[in-house]
């Protein structure tokens, strides 16, 4: 099973800040890494697929990068509505796995 | 617009079987383009993929894929006449208390999710 480790677990940030969340895989997964946003009391929402490909309807301030074992989700110009938990997910091999999550709090 | 809605008992006794249903609207579960999934989230925790089923409307058969950590206790199936997905999890314990989601998997990501249903395992 591929383990995904996110950092940080929690971050308190101010609006307009640039936020970076990292996800490290226990073995190479090429670009089979995807990012989700889960707002309080909501289901997860797919933000980025294949490490860096944007999803229709997702604000352009969200971007992703990386390949192999190290990946990054960046939010440029944080907005209050971005308060949520963010999860990475790998589809390289079964069982599909998720990172433990990063909770973003807006100051 | 595809919508998924989970339903089932919110309370299950230890050692019993958890059974949930997911009703899919806005799309056919037998279209063959997707994997219909169950994912759970323990309270305040991350996400765990339980498994999914790929159902082909051409062969009228489904192929299932399960998380090895749950495989001995899990069954995922579809009822195409009702456009529903089902989950059975046997011999439950308190560790199975979680919010259970059904979701559509279109590689590479889970693009549509239900709202989730909370299942508590307690006597």
């Amino acid at each position: 099973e591929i383990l995904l480790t996110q950092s940080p677990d929690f971050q308190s940030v101010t609006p307009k800040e640039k936020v970076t969340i990292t996800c490290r895989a226990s073995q190479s997964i090429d670009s089979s890494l995807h990012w989700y946003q889960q707002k309080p009391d909501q289901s997860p929402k797919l933000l980025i697929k294949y490490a860096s490909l944007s999803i229709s309807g997702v604000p352009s301030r969200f971007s992703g990068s990386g390949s192999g074992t190290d990946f990054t989700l960046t939010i440029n110009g944080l907005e209050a509505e971005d308060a949520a938990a963010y999860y990475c997910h790998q589809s390289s091999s079964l069982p599909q796995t998720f990172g433990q999550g990063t909770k973003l709090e807006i100051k | 617009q595809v919508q998924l809605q989970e339903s089932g008992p919110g309370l299950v006794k230890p050692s019993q079987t958890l059974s949930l249903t997911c009703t899919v609207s806005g799309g056919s579960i037998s279209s063959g383009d997707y994997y219909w999934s169950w994912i759970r989230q323990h309270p305040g925790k991350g996400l765990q993929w339980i498994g999914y089923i790929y159902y082909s409307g051409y062969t009228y058969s489904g192929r299932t894929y399960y998380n090895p950590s749950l495989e001995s206790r899990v069954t995922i199936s579809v009822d195409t006449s009702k456009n529903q997905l089902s989950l059975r999890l046997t011999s439950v314990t308190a560790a199975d208390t979680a919010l259970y989601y059904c979701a559509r998997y279109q590689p590479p990501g889970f693009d549509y999710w239900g709202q989730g249903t909370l299942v508590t395992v307690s006597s």
Side-chain angles (χ1 to χ4, degrees):
Chain A
E1 175 173 319
I2 295 175
L3 181 65
L4 298 178
T5 304
Q6 292 182 230
S7 62
D9 290 333
F10 175 85
Q11 191 169 6
S12 183
V13 292
T14 55
K16 300 184 182 180
E17 251 188 86
K18 176 181 175 179
V19 173
T20 298
I21 298 170
T22 65
C23 178
R24 174 164 288 177
S26 58
Q27 64 189 73
S28 177
I29 55 173
D30 296 323
S31 295
S32 297
L33 190 286
H34 325 291
W35 291 97
Y36 297 78
Q37 175 193 64
Q38 185 177 31
K39 295 184 178 180
D41 298 320
Q42 293 187 19
S43 308
K45 170 188 172 183
L46 183 62
L47 285 181
I48 300 284
K49 63 181 180 181
Y50 287 128
S52 62
L53 300 184
S54 57
I55 302 295
S56 175
V58 173
S60 58
R61 62 182 180 274
F62 292 94
S63 64
S65 64
S67 66
T69 60
D70 294 305
F71 302 87
T72 300
L73 173 69
T74 301
I75 310 174
N76 275 298
L78 190 76
E79 298 192 4
E81 67 182 27
D82 300 333
Y86 293 83
Y87 295 92
C88 56
H89 154 234
Q90 67 81 20
S91 62
S92 175
S93 66
L94 296 181
Q96 299 204 18
T97 51
F98 293 84
Q100 83 278 14
T102 295
K103 185 175 180 180
L104 279 189
E105 175 192 83
I106 311 298
K107 291 178 183 175
Chain B
Q1 177 79 348
V2 174
Q3 293 186 317
L4 297 89
Q5 178 67 60
E6 305 89 348
S7 59
L11 182 64
V12 181
K13 288 182 167 50
S15 80
Q16 293 192 343
T17 297
L18 180 161
S19 295
L20 297 176
T21 298
C22 173
T23 301
V24 179
S25 58
S28 172
I29 208 165
S30 57
S31 69
D33 295 325
Y34 312 106
Y35 295 73
W36 300 95
S37 316
W38 289 97
I39 294 166
R40 70 182 183 179
Q41 187 168 32
H42 293 100
K45 302 293 185 182
L47 300 159
Q48 182 184 31
W49 175 74
I50 297 171
Y52 47 46
I53 184 168
Y54 176 85
Y55 188 84
S56 169
Y58 294 102
T59 62
Y60 301 101
S61 64
R63 181 173 179 180
T64 52
Y65 304 79
Y66 299 130
N67 191 318
S69 68
L70 297 168
E71 188 165 15
S72 63
R73 299 193 291 131
V74 172
T75 303
I76 295 175
S77 59
V78 298
D79 183 335
T80 55
S81 67
K82 296 180 180 178
N83 219 35
Q84 290 179 335
L85 171 71
S86 295
L87 170 70
R88 288 185 75 249
L89 182 65
T90 62
S91 305
V92 297
T93 69
D96 295 310
T97 293
L99 186 62
Y100 286 77
Y101 292 102
C102 58
R104 189 182 81 171
Y105 178 67
Q106 181 182 30
F110 298 94
D111 58 354
Y112 287 96
W113 297 66
Q115 65 185 29
T117 187
L118 179 64
V119 178
T120 301
V121 178
S122 175
S123 55

